[in-house]
Amino acid sequence: MTVRPLARGLTPLPEESLPGLVLRLAYRLKRSPARIAELCGLSHRQNRLPAEYLLAMPTSLAEEFARVTRLNMDEAHALTLSSLADSYPPLASVRLDGNRNATAARNSWAANLSSRYCPACLSGDESTVQRLFGGPWKLRWHLPVSFACTAHRCLLVHNCPRCHGLPNQPATTERQGLIMQRTVSGLHPAQCRHLAPPALGGQGTRSSLCMARLDQGFRTTAVTDSDLLTLLTLQHRIDQRLTPHRGAPRSHPDPPDRYFFLDLIVAAHLIRLSWPDGASFAPSGSLADLIDHHLASAAAQRRQCAPGQRAGSIWPAPEDPAECAALLVAAHALLVGGDQGASGLVDRVQPLAAAAYSRSAANTGAALRRMHVSPDLARALACRSGSFYRAGGHRQANQQIPSRRCRFGIQHVPALLPESWFHTHFSNLLSLPEQHSDGKVRHLRRVASLKLAEMSSGGTWPECAKKLQIPWRTAQQSLRVVKNALTESNCWVAFDEGMERLACQLDASSDRVDYRSRRAFLEPWRLSDADWAQLCHGLSRFRRGINSPNEETATALIWAQVTQGDHLHSPVLSALRQSGQSTHRLVASISQLRTPANRKGAKLELLCRLEAYAVRLAAICDQQGTSTASTSGRLAGSKITG
């Protein structure tokens, strides 16, 4: 049966929420909120008034609601938090149906079903309709980041002045709905709908309602004038970002403000988890005391949990607006720093992150790092071992971001740092006796390449090794050797400084080599018999021993020079391993040819010819198109010996 439109309706007030409009309609029509919801098509089976309608109304339900209340569809949807989803990212990922519930919304700082409020706003303005039926319950008051009213320059209130109950949050375990005591009629929209607790020492009945007026005679939390100005300044910035600019074209699909709330929430978590290390970011001692009181109260509640009872979550925002405001102001100070910029973010965040991770359970730190934040904050939050992201723990998408803003890409990173780069930027490390062996230098060159990969593409060291086609065990061994050496000599700072100088050099370079392309082009390549014969032409014949150089030896050495990779990981040796054949003879042949003591006579001349061949082959690789197959064919058949 089609329900007729309401005989008397109400135009939604600016920023009014769905439960607020239902309460005002019920008061005007002298009906219960449950009856108004039934007439408007909001009632659920079992006569429930579902809380999820605060987030969004299904299209069919919104159409019926708009028809009965004489609203248009835009006005109907503007009553739900879906209208703020574009401005407030946490709302976009939370639903209150299916397996999601109010706890999930609170833990993610998406919404609180119990609204904070400004008593002055609830009392209404001088208009006739607000004098008769009260002011609006504002939609943004359901957001944890709304803690103050900039119009009346005061903090919001979160509970009833008489019974101290939270609006629309039952004291029992009853499932939370859109409106408490929905079947009770005759209450003003600003009256408390909680059951009044029994009088102390008396025999009060539990059926009586509190009915205190939330818009009259209640003072908000007192803070100093300077603190209030600080809190209102941040609230003003938050309100500006919450207000959608309708009709304004988006000049960029990923505006800078996209991460404002995401970063602010994660920074607030970090302040709490590392407290009191972050106390210096609170603008005043009184605001720091508010944060301290919040954390002490939360800890006391967890200690009071009965054995086997689940402790409260550490993730929701503080219920008290003053405590929440103090926490957010400290978080904002952590993010912007003294210069109001992003410089030094790592220096500010890393000490707090280290403290938070050491004091919290492993899953708590992992959950914090998994939260979606800006690339700058993700870099600062990442766990490190030495100079690298830790490889253990959960795989986190946020660690895939580069650890540095680079103009070069991972395609410009070879698997083994070229010796010229290494001697230019790490000569101070070579001056240390414990770092000077050829083996340790090779490990350092490999680790430097891994660090360049992390700088330019992000990820943990195993992921960087995979991108550079370095075997996992080889990378692990190099990291172990370098970590022990640099830790013993206290040279991590020198290593980081060298890496930064090298990265700056690559940033400034205009002719970077695409080593990834070279590796791909040379994957199927092998030196031809004709080219090998040409390379050996005129040289005295080598002894035909088991370790004498041959085409495979030359192929591995040429590949290593062109790609700046390790000859032990060349395709020709990898193919032997995969087929189950021994690599001993080929490795011995390469080692014999490269041994400094053997670099004389015909062997030295052959090495010079191989290097010249590699230079010409590299030039051909760099000049080719993107087709690997056609390129490899031309390389295999080309006469590069000249």
Side-chain angles (χ1 to χ4, degrees):
M1 181 180 68
T2 302
V3 179
R4 294 180 300 173
L6 297 177
R8 290 173 291 174
L10 285 171
T11 300
L13 299 175
E15 299 187 69
E16 187 166 25
S17 67
L18 177 62
L21 179 61
V22 171
L23 287 172
R24 289 200 308 128
L25 283 171
Y27 186 62
R28 182 181 188 188
L29 298 177
K30 297 180 174 56
R31 296 291 187 272
S32 69
R35 178 56 179 163
I36 296 298
E38 182 182 0
L39 293 173
C40 295
L42 296 178
S43 289
H44 195 265
R45 59 181 179 274
Q46 301 174 346
N47 200 29
R48 286 185 54 242
L49 187 49
E52 55 261 30
Y53 294 161
L54 173 65
L55 282 179
M57 285 189 287
T59 301
S60 59
L61 187 147
E63 291 174 347
E64 177 68 6
F65 178 83
R67 183 186 66 81
V68 174
T69 55
R70 305 177 190 273
L71 304 178
N72 59 47
M73 287 293 288
D74 288 341
E75 290 174 321
H77 285 302
L79 295 167
T80 68
L81 289 170
S82 63
S83 61
L84 297 175
D86 289 340
S87 307
Y88 190 62
L91 283 169
S93 59
V94 174
R95 297 171 57 191
L96 291 183
D97 57 356
N99 294 325
R100 305 300 297 228
N101 52 33
T103 300
R106 293 178 64 243
N107 286 349
S108 62
W109 286 49
N112 289 323
L113 297 186
S114 177
S115 174
R116 294 169 180 165
Y117 64 93
C118 169
C121 288
L122 285 185
S123 65
D125 56 22
E126 297 301 319
S127 65
T128 301
V129 67
Q130 293 198 37
R131 285 201 308 271
L132 291 174
F133 311 117
W137 281 92
K138 293 188 177 181
L139 194 60
R140 71 177 62 194
W141 291 344
H142 287 277
L143 302 181
V145 294
S146 288
F147 52 80
C149 176
T150 56
H152 297 103
R153 301 188 63 79
C154 66
L155 292 175
L156 300 181
V157 184
H158 72 296
N159 57 5
C160 171
R162 180 184 297 171
C163 71
H164 305 294
L166 305 183
N168 201 42
Q169 183 166 316
T172 64
T173 57
E174 176 189 356
R175 184 172 181 179
Q176 205 163 348
L178 195 65
I179 295 174
M180 282 186 63
Q181 305 296 334
R182 61 188 179 277
T183 59
V184 177
S185 60
L187 293 184
H188 186 277
Q191 281 186 282
C192 176
R193 306 182 74 87
H194 267 278
L195 293 173
L200 292 176
Q203 300 296 325
T205 61
R206 295 187 57 82
S207 59
S208 61
L209 295 179
C210 174
M211 296 190 293
R213 290 290 292 259
L214 305 180
D215 58 343
Q216 297 175 4
F218 188 73
R219 300 179 61 182
T220 61
T221 303
V223 294
T224 65
D225 291 342
S226 59
D227 285 345
L228 180 60
L229 178 60
T230 301
L231 302 182
L232 289 174
T233 299
L234 178 58
Q235 186 66 74
H236 178 68
R237 292 176 181 169
I238 289 173
D239 289 347
Q240 283 183 315
R241 289 167 172 82
L242 286 177
T243 303
H245 302 284
R246 301 185 185 281
R250 293 183 64 179
S251 58
H252 195 278
D254 191 13
D257 278 356
R258 171 188 174 189
Y259 295 107
F260 177 82
F261 291 113
L262 300 171
D263 284 3
L264 189 64
I265 292 168
V266 171
H269 289 317
L270 187 60
I271 291 286
R272 286 198 294 192
L273 292 171
S274 63
W275 193 261
D277 294 45
S280 60
F281 293 101
S284 70
S286 56
L287 292 179
D289 289 342
L290 286 171
I291 301 175
D292 196 65
H293 180 268
H294 158 65
L295 294 172
S297 300
Q301 290 178 1
R302 287 194 289 271
R303 287 195 298 268
Q304 292 172 1
C305 289
Q309 183 180 0
R310 188 172 184 178
S313 173
I314 64 171
W315 301 113
E319 290 180 341
D320 184 271
E323 295 175 356
C324 188
L327 180 62
L328 288 173
V329 164
H332 188 256
L334 171 63
L335 293 173
V336 301
D339 57 359
Q340 301 295 309
S343 61
L345 182 63
V346 173
D347 294 335
R348 297 192 298 273
V349 168
Q350 273 290 301
L352 301 190
Y357 300 154
S358 64
R359 298 171 191 170
S360 306
N363 60 344
T364 300
L368 183 66
R369 295 191 300 273
R370 282 198 301 270
M371 293 181 180
H372 190 54
V373 293
S374 66
D376 287 336
L377 185 55
R379 293 185 189 101
L381 285 171
C383 281
R384 295 181 183 274
S385 177
S387 291
F388 286 82
Y389 288 137
R390 285 183 182 171
H394 297 270
R395 293 184 177 273
Q396 298 150 27
N398 284 344
Q399 284 193 3
Q400 294 299 322
I401 55 101
S403 63
R404 180 184 181 275
R405 294 182 182 273
C406 298
R407 295 181 181 176
F408 64 93
I410 192 173
Q411 69 272 22
H412 304 122
V413 179
L416 201 60
L417 202 70
E419 291 186 0
S420 60
W421 295 5
F422 186 81
H423 287 281
T424 298
H425 299 288
F426 299 94
S427 57
N428 54 342
L429 295 180
L430 292 177
S431 64
L432 299 172
E434 61 271 20
Q435 310 291 352
H436 195 59
S437 69
D438 290 341
K440 286 189 176 179
V441 168
R442 197 168 189 82
H443 286 306
L444 275 168
R445 290 171 60 196
R446 184 174 293 117
V447 168
S449 288
L450 289 172
K451 184 61 182 176
L452 283 179
E454 181 203 271
M455 285 177 163
S456 58
S457 71
T460 58
W461 69 258
E463 294 164 333
C464 293
K466 184 177 181 180
K467 295 172 186 176
L468 297 181
Q469 297 180 1
I470 300 174
W472 187 90
R473 292 187 180 279
T474 301
Q476 184 187 46
Q477 175 64 13
S478 291
L479 282 166
R480 182 184 297 112
V481 171
V482 170
K483 180 179 179 180
N484 291 338
L486 295 184
T487 301
E488 290 174 2
S489 57
N490 197 25
C491 286
W492 277 114
V493 173
F495 176 80
D496 287 339
E497 290 173 349
M499 290 306 310
E500 182 60 26
R501 289 193 299 269
L502 175 55
C504 290
Q505 173 186 315
L506 289 174
D507 281 341
S509 176
S510 58
D511 57 347
R512 307 182 192 101
V513 174
D514 189 337
Y515 289 102
R516 181 170 60 189
S517 177
R518 286 186 179 184
R519 289 192 294 268
F521 288 158
L522 294 184
E523 178 68 27
W525 176 79
R526 301 292 185 274
L527 184 70
S528 65
D529 292 340
D531 281 354
W532 172 244
Q534 185 70 19
L535 285 168
C536 294
H537 180 71
L539 298 178
S540 59
R541 296 181 61 83
F542 299 107
R543 289 183 303 168
R544 293 186 176 277
I546 189 173
N547 294 332
S548 296
N550 57 18
E551 295 93 327
E552 290 184 333
T553 307
T555 297
L557 290 173
I558 292 170
W559 177 91
Q561 182 170 337
V562 174
T563 65
Q564 288 298 308
D566 191 328
H567 66 269
L568 294 176
H569 308 144
S570 61
V572 63
L573 275 163
S574 298
L576 289 175
R577 295 188 189 97
Q578 292 174 1
S579 63
Q581 301 180 55
S582 172
T583 61
H584 177 76
R585 189 207 61 78
L586 181 54
V587 171
S589 173
I590 295 171
S591 298
Q592 186 184 85
L593 192 61
R594 295 179 68 250
T595 300
N598 293 334
R599 292 187 179 184
K600 55 188 177 181
K603 290 182 178 179
L604 178 59
E605 176 62 23
L606 178 60
L607 284 174
C608 292
R609 292 184 182 185
L610 292 178
E611 290 176 3
Y613 185 103
V615 170
R616 291 190 291 272
L617 180 58
I620 292 176
C621 286
D622 295 340
Q623 293 171 3
Q624 301 305 315
T626 57
S627 173
T628 303
S630 60
T631 301
S632 62
R634 287 193 293 271
L635 293 179
S638 61
K639 293 289 185 178
I640 309 176
T641 49

